[in-house]
Amino acid sequence: MAPLALARRRSLAVAGAEAPVIVHGNHDALHQALRNLVENAINHTAEGTTVEIAVGARPQRLSIRDHGPGVAPRPRMLFQRFWRADRASSRGAGLGLAIVQRIATAMAQGLPWRMPRAAGPCFILEF
């Protein structure tokens, strides 16, 4: 993900647990979910800002936060297949968050997210 972030003039920051965090599940599915969330964050945050990835041990969790403009006024639409907030953009098919939500439902405790006032959304995979 670092080459994509650098090419788009964004930074990635990873913080969290001092020791490895063990998560039981499908490696490929978890990788796909994390990749989709980080790519979305890179695509929706402004140049010169940082996408933050945090790893937590208790409870086991991954959170991805960007500093973009926030979520459209219809947040329920985020997880619908083929829906994109920016229909004028040719990037993506609108499947990323729908895929992540399905993986999160199967492997984790859903895909909660929050919208802090000072930043873009924060998506959380909690196991």
Side-chain angles (χ1 to χ4, degrees):
M1 301 307 321
L4 175 63
L6 291 172
R8 307 271 336 269
R9 295 187 178 98
R10 276 79 165 166
S11 299
L12 294 176
V14 180
E18 297 293 321
V21 176
I22 306 298
V23 174
H24 298 283
N26 183 307
H27 170 270
D28 293 333
L30 181 57
H31 178 264
Q32 183 68 50
L34 181 59
R35 181 181 180 93
N36 284 356
L37 288 171
V38 173
E39 281 183 359
N40 275 355
I42 289 169
N43 288 333
H44 294 288
T45 196
E47 279 189 22
T49 59
T50 301
V51 172
E52 301 166 9
I53 304 164
V55 179
R58 292 203 173 109
Q60 298 159 313
R61 71 169 45 179
L62 288 168
S63 63
I64 295 83
R65 179 176 158 214
D66 69 48
H67 294 272
V71 175
R74 298 168 30 200
R76 283 194 207 159
M77 300 295 290
L78 283 175
F79 303 105
Q80 289 190 3
R81 292 178 3 190
F82 305 112
W83 185 83
R84 295 182 318 178
D86 182 3
R87 293 182 186 272
S89 171
S90 62
R91 279 196 322 248
L95 290 171
L97 288 177
I99 291 169
V100 172
Q101 185 178 46
R102 291 186 84 148
I103 292 168
T105 300
M107 288 186 55
Q109 297 179 16
L111 184 62
W113 65 281
R114 63 183 189 275
M115 186 68 189
R117 289 185 182 190
C122 178
F123 291 92
I124 303 161
L125 288 167
E126 193 168 278
F127 305 92

